[in-house]
Amino acid sequence: MQKNIVILISGGGSNMAAIVRAATRGRWAERFDARVAAVISNKPAAGGLQFAKDLGVVTAAVDHRGFAAREDFDAALSREIDQHAPALVVLAGFMRILTPGFVNHYAGRLINIHPSLLPAFPGLHTHRRALEAGCKVAGVTVHQVTTELDHGPILAQAVVPVLPDDDAATLAARVLTQEHRIYPHAIEGWLATR
Ligand code: NHR
Ligand code: GAR
């Protein structure tokens, strides 16, 4: 069975690009019959959309501002995603909390990358919070998405040191380099076992 991957973004799309490049370099089509079928953003102006087009990937935008209720946005987003019959839906810097109806529809095939060592610091502003807590290490977690925010089963983690002169931006950059390494690896592991 052809395994389509749909990637959801809100921003620059560097994790998306790391995944698309890994799919090509790692020959996911030949090895797993898998391909990145589409990149979808809730922000029409997201830089990652042009980045995806440049990489030759189909893109779409579903602007959350056009919907009165989260359920309505999620329904429209699902319709767009399901055109690609995805085996896996990948949140890569996607910044909208998803409703239980959406999460349950993709149960077992929805994963996220979160820039902290979960279960520490679920939610937003993870780097600032890690610095404020005096953490000596920080990192990133790839996890299955469940209805509880940033709490699903952990698929992969990577650790980085917190350095004495770090601010949120320098720490975020150090974590991001690890994100680009572990997200493709976690997806490859997921594909290899299905
Ligand atoms: N949805 C569910 N149900 N479960 C998760 O684990 C999810 C999720 C949706 C997104 C990514 C997550 C992260 O890795 C993610 C995990 C956005 C927010 C948030 O508060 C929190 C966590 C995550 C993503 N978003 C605001 C909201 O009102 C909007 C913030 C903004 O637009 O800048 O949706 O951190
Ligand atoms: C990444 O650091 C990702 O972990 C984080 O946003 C960045 C997106 O960068 N995700 C969240 O904070 C989710 N709330 P990218 O668009 O360049 O991949």
Side-chain angles (χ1 to χ4, degrees), residues 43 70 91 94-99 103 112-115 123-124 143 145-151:
K43 293 198 176 176
R70 282 185 190 266
L91 308 184
F94 184 74
M95 296 307 291
R96 298 299 300 175
I97 295 173
L98 298 161
T99 57
V103 172
N112 178 46
I113 191 158
H114 180 75
L124 301 177
H143 66 96
V145 174
T146 63
T147 52
E148 196 181 349
L149 186 70
D150 293 330
H151 270 82

Side-chain angles (χ1 to χ4, degrees), residues 1-181:
M1 244 304 256
Q2 185 170 292
K3 299 185 192 87
N4 285 341
I5 300 168
V6 171
I7 305 178
L8 305 187
I9 64 165
S10 301
S14 70
N15 277 292
M16 174 280 298
I19 295 161
V20 171
R21 288 176 176 139
T24 305
R25 285 207 199 155
R27 301 184 15 276
W28 289 0
E30 294 87 333
R31 289 164 62 215
F32 310 118
D33 199 13
R35 67 204 43 72
V36 178
V39 171
I40 303 173
S41 174
N42 67 302
K43 293 198 176 176
L49 285 176
Q50 185 59 47
F51 201 175
K53 285 179 197 160
D54 293 343
L55 291 164
V57 181
V58 169
T59 63
V62 181
D63 190 342
H64 64 275
R65 291 170 302 185
F67 300 88
R70 282 185 190 266
E71 285 76 10
D72 300 335
F73 166 67
D74 283 9
L77 183 61
S78 280
R79 277 196 297 279
E80 194 67 43
I81 294 169
D82 287 347
Q83 288 180 24
H84 304 282
L88 182 64
V89 177
V90 173
L91 308 184
F94 184 74
M95 296 307 291
R96 298 299 300 175
I97 295 173
L98 298 161
T99 57
F102 182 100
V103 172
N104 290 331
H105 178 68
Y106 298 104
R109 52 180 176 138
L110 181 59
I111 65 175
N112 178 46
I113 191 158
H114 180 75
S116 79
L117 292 171
L118 290 174
F121 310 122
L124 301 177
H125 312 299
T126 54
H127 306 298
R128 191 176 77 206
R129 289 158 65 203
L131 291 170
E132 283 168 2
C135 293
K136 300 303 175 197
V137 296
V140 53
T141 303
V142 177
H143 66 96
Q144 288 195 47
V145 174
T146 63
T147 52
E148 196 181 349
L149 186 70
D150 293 330
H151 270 82
I154 292 172
L155 300 172
Q157 289 185 306
V159 179
V160 302
V162 176
L163 301 179
D165 291 334
D166 269 339
D167 57 26
T170 58
L171 180 56
R174 193 173 308 116
V175 171
L176 192 61
T177 62
Q178 293 304 308
E179 297 187 35
H180 298 160
R181 193 176 62 78

